[in-house]
Amino acid sequence: MTAVIRKNGRRGQATPPRRDDGALHAYAMFFDGDDRIAYADVLEDLLAVLIEGYPSMDEEDRLVARIRLAVRAQVWIQALINADVDPAVWNALSAEDRGVLTGSRHEQPRIDFWDPEIPLVLVETGYVPYTDVDQPISGIADVRYPPNMIWLRPVDEWDLLESLSEAGFVRLHQAVAP
C-alpha cells in the first residue's frame, strides 16, 4: 500500500480519504509547509513521501536515509528558528554561540553545554551511543527535553516522525476510533 496524497486545499480542514473498507487511514501527515497531506496506514508509507525509494531500501539504507532526512530537517528548522530571533537577542549571543546556531551540519555541534534560550536543533545519532561525541547538556533546564534543545531521533521510524512533528517540520496525526 502507498500513501494517499492530497493537496491541502482548505489549510487543515480537508476531509480525509477513507480506505476501501470505509475506515480512516491510521495516520495523516501534513508536509511541504502544510500544503499537502499524506494519509497512510503504516509509517513506511509516510516516510516514502519524504524519502524517495524508502520502501525498497534494506534496513541499513533506511537508517542512513532517515539520518539524512533528520539532518535536512535540522538545517531547515534551525534556519526558521534563527530567522525568528529578535536582533537584540541575536547580537547579545557570543560569536561562538552564533557559530553553533549557523554552522555546517556535516557533523553535529561539538559543545559541552548549550546555555542560550534559542533552541538548538540536534540529531540524536550524532552523539553517544551512536558516536564518540558526548551529547550537549542544557544550561537552563535539567530535563530530558529542555526548551532550548530540539532533538530529532532517526533511529526508529515512529521516533523520527514524532520528533519531526514536535519540531514543526511535519504535522503527524493518528486516527482516533469513533
Side-chain angles (χ1 to χ4, degrees), residues 103-156:
S104 171
R105 292 301 185 253
H106 68 281
E107 288 184 345
Q108 293 301 298
R110 290 178 174 251
I111 55 173
D112 293 327
F113 296 96
W114 185 246
D115 294 326
E117 291 185 17
I118 300 166
L120 177 61
V121 184
L122 302 163
V123 177
E124 182 180 65
T125 52
Y127 299 98
V128 169
Y130 309 102
T131 71
D132 61 350
V133 178
D134 288 331
Q135 289 186 0
I137 297 170
S138 171
I140 67 169
D142 186 19
V143 293
R144 181 178 168 124
Y145 298 113
N148 67 335
M149 300 173 101
I150 297 171
W151 288 95
L152 302 179
R153 302 177 305 274
V155 172
D156 174 83

Side-chain angles (χ1 to χ4, degrees), residues 89-109:
V89 172
W90 186 261
N91 292 332
L93 292 172
S94 69
E96 181 181 341
D97 288 344
R98 284 193 303 270
V100 170
L101 288 168
T102 60
S104 171
R105 292 301 185 253
H106 68 281
E107 288 184 345
Q108 293 301 298

Side-chain angles (χ1 to χ4, degrees), residues 41-74:
D41 292 312
V42 295
L43 300 175
E44 174 185 275
D45 290 343
L46 292 180
L47 285 165
V49 171
L50 302 172
I51 301 169
E52 187 175 341
Y54 188 77
S56 64
M57 296 176 186
D58 64 29
E59 285 306 312
E60 184 176 333
D61 288 341
R62 284 181 175 202
L63 175 59
V64 170
R66 289 193 307 269
I67 292 169
R68 287 182 176 152
L69 172 61
V71 171
R72 282 194 313 270
Q74 174 190 31

Side-chain angles (χ1 to χ4, degrees), residues 22-49:
L24 290 172
H25 290 277
Y27 304 102
M29 179 181 71
F30 291 73
F31 67 107
D32 281 351
D34 273 1
D35 285 342
R36 299 192 300 162
I37 310 167
Y39 299 92
D41 292 312
V42 295
L43 300 175
E44 174 185 275
D45 290 343
L46 292 180
L47 285 165
V49 171

